Amino acid sequence: MTIGEAAKASGLSAKTIRYYEEIGLIRARRDANGYRAFDADDVHRLAFLNRSRGLGFSIEDCRALLGLYADTERASEDVKRLASEHLARIDARIADLQALRATVAGLVSACAGDNRPDCPILKDLASGGAR
């Protein structure tokens, strides 16, 4: 199938598929005319990548996951370790976002939001957060 058909079947854009090929994440076969050719296994790998990226795994994580998926002798502990490391990064981002939210919420609550020109939000931004 063509790259357009593979894109539609996998949920990825043709541009993304070309990028994945460029960075060596996938290998597309070439027809005699030089066009990329994909089969059902290729589409399955592309859909695997789409789901992995959708869950926030990095390109390098995806490369490792594809390798583990292809390795019938893999140990599930290797997969779990990779996913656990990713989960820890997600938890750290959530903590960062919660701290950011608390800061912005404090600024919003400190502002009267009336017709006066005085605004604690702008003062904080101008001071670089030093209070």
Side-chain angles (χ1 to χ4, degrees):
M1 75 181 68
T2 67
I3 192 169
E5 293 165 334
K8 187 174 183 178
S10 67
L12 293 170
S13 69
K15 182 178 180 180
T16 299
I17 293 171
R18 285 190 291 274
Y19 172 69
Y20 287 170
E21 182 184 18
E22 180 183 317
I23 63 171
L25 201 52
I26 60 159
R27 289 184 210 158
R29 289 179 320 287
R30 300 287 177 153
D31 281 338
N33 60 11
Y35 290 118
R36 291 171 183 86
F38 299 89
D39 61 21
D41 287 340
D42 296 323
V43 170
H44 181 75
R45 279 189 293 281
L46 291 168
F48 181 99
L49 288 168
N50 189 21
R51 175 74 172 141
S52 299
R53 294 293 288 153
L55 290 173
F57 284 99
S58 70
I59 293 290
E60 289 312 310
D61 286 344
C62 289
R63 191 180 309 279
L65 286 167
L66 274 175
L68 289 165
Y69 182 72
D71 180 4
T72 58
E73 301 295 317
R74 70 183 167 268
S76 65
E77 69 181 322
D78 295 335
V79 181
K80 185 173 182 174
R81 183 180 325 105
L82 195 147
S84 295
E85 291 167 358
H86 180 55
L87 182 60
R89 289 189 300 269
I90 292 170
D91 288 339
R93 283 197 315 236
I94 289 171
D96 290 346
L97 286 171
Q98 287 172 331
L100 179 63
R101 187 195 186 290
T103 299
V104 174
L107 290 171
V108 168
S109 69
C111 182
D114 55 18
N115 291 331
R116 293 179 294 157
D118 182 51
C119 179
I121 298 169
L122 293 177
K123 282 183 185 174
D124 182 86
L125 295 173
S127 71
R131 293 184 185 193

